[in-house]
Amino acid sequence: MTGSEFYQQLIETEAQLMEWAEQFSKLISAPCQIHFEGNLGAGKTTLVRGIMRGLGYSGLVQSPTYTLIEPYEIKSAMVYHLDLYRLGNAEELEYLGIRDIDADKAICFIEWPEKGKGFLPAVDLVIKLEADQHTRLLGMSSVSSKGSHIITQLKRALD
Ligand SMILES: Nc1ncnc2c1ncn2[C@@H]1O[C@H](COP(=O)(O)OP(=O)(O)OP(=O)(O)O)[C@@H](O)[C@H]1O
Ligand SMILES: [Mg+2]
């Protein structure tokens, strides 16, 4: 059973999102699959950048708008940041090397996951951002027991 947990947080500024990302990053470890939903400009890449910082990555984290898959090596794992907005169809993921990702050992952050439906590893958490000016409503749902555990821990940490 993978009882679904839900978490929601109103974020007032980009700086506050970065603080949130720092806290959240402490709770994730490989293997972990996180999907990011939200309109263009909602802040998905900004949030991934903050999580990467929190995971100890000090290099540049650019949006994988054109490369679609961007790999990073951190101390504890391989991290893959995907942005599938420009993917023509999900089968193209095969040519982009989706099979080279060892999902059992990696952390994946995937923007626009619906474009890769059927070709992506099983997801643990879905994070959705809704934007209004500088404010963001962040919602998170778990899709696996690992995901539920992370949300439980997050609620405890932020209490
Ligand atoms: N509170 C906030 N949280 C996140 N981003 C914010 C916030 N306020 C303003 N912004 C701005 O909103 C923009 C978010 O862009 P970002 O590239 O992260 O969006 P995205 O969801 O990844 O879009 P895309 O679907 O095009 O990849 C950035 O320019 C960022 O500076
Ligand atoms: Mg983006």
Side-chain angles (χ1 to χ4, degrees):
M1 274 300 288
T2 58
S4 183
E5 289 278 333
F6 183 70
Y7 164 91
Q8 199 173 48
Q9 174 72 49
L10 188 66
I11 307 272
E12 308 271 3
T13 62
E14 191 169 332
Q16 203 180 316
L17 186 70
M18 293 300 98
E19 280 171 36
W20 184 91
E22 162 95 43
Q23 294 236 356
F24 176 67
S25 69
K26 295 196 183 100
L27 304 173
I28 56 176
S29 59
C32 193
Q33 298 284 323
I34 305 182
H35 289 183
F36 292 80
E37 296 182 352
N39 294 338
L40 290 168
K44 302 179 292 295
T45 299
T46 304
L47 178 53
V48 169
R49 222 169 255 143
I51 298 170
M52 289 295 290
R53 286 282 165 283
L55 289 172
Y57 187 79
S58 54
L60 199 65
V61 175
Q62 277 181 322
S63 176
T65 309
Y66 299 103
T67 53
L68 305 201
I69 301 182
E70 206 61 64
Y72 297 93
E73 203 172 339
I74 60 168
K75 236 183 352 214
S76 53
M78 280 301 296
V79 181
Y80 298 88
H81 181 194
L82 285 71
D83 177 347
L84 304 182
Y85 187 72
R86 287 185 162 71
L87 196 68
N89 56 66
E91 284 85 357
E92 282 175 33
L93 277 170
E94 300 277 1
Y95 302 104
L96 288 166
I98 193 79
R99 282 174 196 266
D100 297 337
I101 296 178
D102 187 352
D104 291 339
K105 291 190 184 138
I107 296 172
C108 294
F109 301 126
I110 308 182
E111 299 181 40
W112 299 100
E114 58 272 36
K115 300 258 182 176
K117 206 164 178 241
F119 287 79
L120 298 173
V123 56
D124 296 299
L125 283 175
V126 178
I127 296 180
K128 182 166 187 177
L129 287 170
E130 284 174 64
D132 181 15
Q133 308 263 13
H134 287 286
T135 301
R136 297 292 185 274
L137 183 62
L138 185 157
M140 189 191 300
S141 320
S142 62
V143 194
S144 73
S145 52
K146 168 141 193 168
S148 297
H149 182 67
I150 292 172
I151 294 183
T152 308
Q153 301 268 80
L154 182 67
K155 285 176 175 167
R156 204 170 290 158
L158 298 177
D159 236 2

